[in-house]
Amino acid sequence: MGKSKAAVPRASNKAAPPSNAFTQLYKAYISETPSHFKLIDAFLLFLFVTGVLQFVYCVVLSDYPFNSFLAGFAATVGQFVLTLALRMQIGARADTKDRPRVTEGRALAEFVLASVVLHFFVVNFLG
């Protein structure tokens, strides 16, 4: 009463190397992403690197003016979050229509207003 086992297709052991996937992703990003998204992405990368450098400086070298570190780090993280929200609002498309859910002008106005409020609080925190 042996059960016959159905042939199970096996996955190929020859997977594409990760570098090939990253190369394809990079080429698709360069060729298909609009320039204003690339500019926002470059600013996001700048904010990320700035935040990491501030944190490393505080941990490794000195945190003497701790208020300054907190204000600078909060400004960097806050601006990163606001910029990411801007990119998501501009990049969001309606389900059936090929237009943004929020107009680019409104998204930019919200971004600028929120950035001004963020930096107002950061400057007030510095004292």
Side-chain angles (χ1 to χ4, degrees), residues 63-73 122 125-127:
D63 65 348
Y64 165 59
F66 196 64
N67 258 8
S68 298
F69 163 71
L70 286 179
F73 193 71
V122 167
F125 183 74
L126 283 173

Side-chain angles (χ1 to χ4, degrees), residues 29 33 37 40-41 44 83-92:
Y29 177 80
T33 305
F37 284 147
I40 292 173
D41 292 341
L44 284 169
T83 307
L84 191 60
L86 172 68
R87 190 185 191 302
M88 290 173 60
Q89 280 185 336
I90 292 176

Side-chain angles (χ1 to χ4, degrees), residues 4 13 20 68 105 111:
S4 64
N13 288 340
N20 189 19
S68 298
F111 170 75

Side-chain angles (χ1 to χ4, degrees), residues 36-53:
H36 60 281
F37 284 147
K38 291 177 187 175
L39 181 64
I40 292 173
D41 292 341
F43 186 56
L44 284 169
L45 180 65
F46 167 74
L47 289 170
F48 178 77
V49 170
T50 302
V52 169
L53 288 175

Side-chain angles (χ1 to χ4, degrees), residues 76-96:
T76 303
V77 171
Q79 195 64 47
F80 182 87
V81 169
L82 291 175
T83 307
L84 191 60
L86 172 68
R87 190 185 191 302
M88 290 173 60
Q89 280 185 336
I90 292 176
R93 299 287 178 192
D95 294 332
T96 57

